[in-house]
Short mmCIF file of all heavy atoms in Angstrom, two decimals:
data_model
loop_
_atom_site.label_atom_id
_atom_site.label_comp_id
_atom_site.label_asym_id
_atom_site.label_seq_id
_atom_site.Cartn_x
_atom_site.Cartn_y
_atom_site.Cartn_z
N HIS A 17 -7.78 3.66 3.24
CA HIS A 17 -6.86 4.56 2.57
C HIS A 17 -7.59 4.87 1.21
O HIS A 17 -7.96 3.93 0.55
CB HIS A 17 -5.48 3.92 2.37
CG HIS A 17 -4.79 3.82 3.62
ND1 HIS A 17 -3.88 4.72 3.97
CD2 HIS A 17 -4.67 2.90 4.59
CE1 HIS A 17 -3.27 4.43 5.18
NE2 HIS A 17 -3.87 3.30 5.59
N TYR A 18 -7.55 6.11 0.86
CA TYR A 18 -8.18 6.53 -0.38
C TYR A 18 -7.16 7.31 -1.26
O TYR A 18 -6.54 8.31 -0.81
CB TYR A 18 -9.33 7.50 -0.13
CG TYR A 18 -10.01 8.07 -1.31
CD1 TYR A 18 -10.60 7.33 -2.33
CD2 TYR A 18 -9.99 9.46 -1.49
CE1 TYR A 18 -11.14 7.90 -3.44
CE2 TYR A 18 -10.53 10.08 -2.62
CZ TYR A 18 -11.13 9.26 -3.57
OH TYR A 18 -11.71 9.87 -4.71
N GLU A 19 -6.97 6.91 -2.43
CA GLU A 19 -6.00 7.59 -3.36
C GLU A 19 -6.81 8.16 -4.53
O GLU A 19 -7.22 7.54 -5.51
CB GLU A 19 -5.05 6.52 -3.93
CG GLU A 19 -3.90 7.11 -4.68
CD GLU A 19 -2.92 6.07 -5.14
OE1 GLU A 19 -2.72 5.04 -4.55
OE2 GLU A 19 -2.16 6.41 -6.16
N ALA A 20 -7.15 9.43 -4.28
CA ALA A 20 -7.98 10.19 -5.26
C ALA A 20 -7.58 10.08 -6.69
O ALA A 20 -8.45 9.95 -7.62
CB ALA A 20 -8.13 11.62 -4.83
N ALA A 21 -6.30 10.08 -7.00
CA ALA A 21 -5.83 10.09 -8.33
C ALA A 21 -6.20 8.75 -9.16
O ALA A 21 -6.23 8.71 -10.28
CB ALA A 21 -4.32 10.25 -8.44
N ARG A 22 -6.52 7.69 -8.34
CA ARG A 22 -6.86 6.43 -8.96
C ARG A 22 -8.38 6.21 -9.05
O ARG A 22 -8.80 5.23 -9.66
CB ARG A 22 -6.22 5.35 -8.11
CG ARG A 22 -4.71 5.37 -8.10
CD ARG A 22 -4.01 4.16 -8.43
NE ARG A 22 -4.54 2.89 -8.46
CZ ARG A 22 -4.10 1.91 -7.61
NH1 ARG A 22 -3.18 2.07 -6.76
NH2 ARG A 22 -4.64 0.66 -7.77
N CYS A 23 -9.14 7.02 -8.41
CA CYS A 23 -10.63 6.82 -8.31
C CYS A 23 -11.25 7.05 -9.68
O CYS A 23 -11.01 8.12 -10.20
CB CYS A 23 -11.24 7.68 -7.27
SG CYS A 23 -13.00 7.36 -7.01
N LEU A 24 -12.05 6.13 -10.18
CA LEU A 24 -12.77 6.27 -11.40
C LEU A 24 -14.27 6.58 -11.19
O LEU A 24 -14.97 6.58 -12.05
CB LEU A 24 -12.63 5.00 -12.25
CG LEU A 24 -11.16 4.77 -12.71
CD1 LEU A 24 -11.06 3.49 -13.37
CD2 LEU A 24 -10.69 5.85 -13.56
N HIS A 25 -14.60 6.82 -9.92
CA HIS A 25 -15.96 7.19 -9.58
C HIS A 25 -17.02 6.27 -10.03
O HIS A 25 -18.15 6.66 -10.52
CB HIS A 25 -16.26 8.66 -9.97
CG HIS A 25 -15.20 9.57 -9.50
ND1 HIS A 25 -15.08 9.93 -8.22
CD2 HIS A 25 -14.14 10.21 -10.16
CE1 HIS A 25 -14.05 10.76 -7.97
NE2 HIS A 25 -13.51 10.91 -9.18
N ALA A 26 -16.74 4.98 -9.92
CA ALA A 26 -17.77 3.97 -10.37
C ALA A 26 -18.95 3.95 -9.30
O ALA A 26 -19.98 3.51 -9.78
CB ALA A 26 -17.14 2.53 -10.42
N GLY A 27 -18.66 4.36 -8.20
CA GLY A 27 -19.72 4.51 -7.13
C GLY A 27 -20.16 3.27 -6.43
O GLY A 27 -21.08 3.26 -5.64
N GLU A 28 -19.37 2.14 -6.62
CA GLU A 28 -19.78 0.94 -5.96
C GLU A 28 -19.75 1.09 -4.42
O GLU A 28 -20.70 0.58 -3.79
CB GLU A 28 -18.76 -0.16 -6.33
CG GLU A 28 -18.99 -1.52 -5.73
CD GLU A 28 -20.28 -2.22 -6.22
OE1 GLU A 28 -20.67 -2.03 -7.30
OE2 GLU A 28 -20.91 -2.88 -5.37
N CYS A 29 -18.80 1.80 -3.87
CA CYS A 29 -18.72 1.97 -2.42
C CYS A 29 -19.89 2.76 -1.96
O CYS A 29 -20.51 2.41 -0.89
CB CYS A 29 -17.40 2.66 -2.05
SG CYS A 29 -17.08 4.27 -2.86
N VAL A 30 -20.23 3.84 -2.66
CA VAL A 30 -21.32 4.74 -2.21
C VAL A 30 -22.69 3.98 -2.25
O VAL A 30 -23.52 4.10 -1.32
CB VAL A 30 -21.36 5.99 -3.09
CG1 VAL A 30 -22.58 6.91 -2.80
CG2 VAL A 30 -20.13 6.83 -2.92
N ARG A 31 -22.88 3.23 -3.34
CA ARG A 31 -24.22 2.52 -3.44
C ARG A 31 -24.29 1.39 -2.37
O ARG A 31 -25.35 1.14 -1.81
CB ARG A 31 -24.33 1.91 -4.88
CG ARG A 31 -24.72 2.94 -5.91
CD ARG A 31 -25.02 2.28 -7.22
NE ARG A 31 -23.98 1.53 -7.78
CZ ARG A 31 -22.96 1.96 -8.45
NH1 ARG A 31 -22.80 3.28 -8.63
NH2 ARG A 31 -22.04 1.17 -8.95
N ALA A 32 -23.15 0.67 -2.17
CA ALA A 32 -23.14 -0.48 -1.30
C ALA A 32 -23.19 -0.12 0.18
O ALA A 32 -23.81 -0.86 1.01
CB ALA A 32 -22.01 -1.35 -1.61
N LEU A 33 -22.58 0.93 0.55
CA LEU A 33 -22.37 1.28 1.98
C LEU A 33 -22.45 2.77 2.19
O LEU A 33 -21.44 3.35 2.62
CB LEU A 33 -21.04 0.67 2.48
CG LEU A 33 -20.96 0.21 3.93
CD1 LEU A 33 -22.05 -0.78 4.30
CD2 LEU A 33 -19.58 -0.45 4.13
N PRO A 34 -23.57 3.45 1.99
CA PRO A 34 -23.67 4.87 2.10
C PRO A 34 -23.44 5.46 3.54
O PRO A 34 -23.06 6.60 3.64
CB PRO A 34 -25.03 5.20 1.59
CG PRO A 34 -25.85 3.99 1.82
CD PRO A 34 -24.87 2.81 1.60
N GLN A 35 -23.59 4.58 4.54
CA GLN A 35 -23.35 5.05 5.86
C GLN A 35 -21.82 5.21 6.13
O GLN A 35 -21.40 5.89 7.09
CB GLN A 35 -23.99 4.19 6.90
CG GLN A 35 -23.50 2.76 6.98
CD GLN A 35 -24.17 1.76 6.00
OE1 GLN A 35 -24.64 2.09 4.95
NE2 GLN A 35 -24.29 0.54 6.48
N VAL A 36 -21.02 4.63 5.31
CA VAL A 36 -19.53 4.79 5.33
C VAL A 36 -18.98 5.67 4.27
O VAL A 36 -18.18 6.55 4.61
CB VAL A 36 -18.81 3.33 5.26
CG1 VAL A 36 -17.32 3.51 5.22
CG2 VAL A 36 -19.33 2.44 6.51
N PHE A 37 -19.50 5.60 3.08
CA PHE A 37 -19.09 6.29 1.92
C PHE A 37 -20.17 7.30 1.48
O PHE A 37 -21.10 6.90 0.88
CB PHE A 37 -18.66 5.38 0.78
CG PHE A 37 -17.59 4.42 1.11
CD1 PHE A 37 -17.93 3.13 1.53
CD2 PHE A 37 -16.20 4.77 1.18
CE1 PHE A 37 -16.97 2.20 1.91
CE2 PHE A 37 -15.27 3.84 1.50
CZ PHE A 37 -15.58 2.53 1.83
#
Side-chain angles (χ1 to χ4, degrees):
H17 290 266
Y18 173 63
E19 189 175 338
R22 299 230 343 240
C23 185
L24 295 174
H25 306 288
E28 180 68 32
C29 58
V30 174
R31 284 189 302 279
L33 212 52
Q35 65 272 34
V36 174
F37 303 96

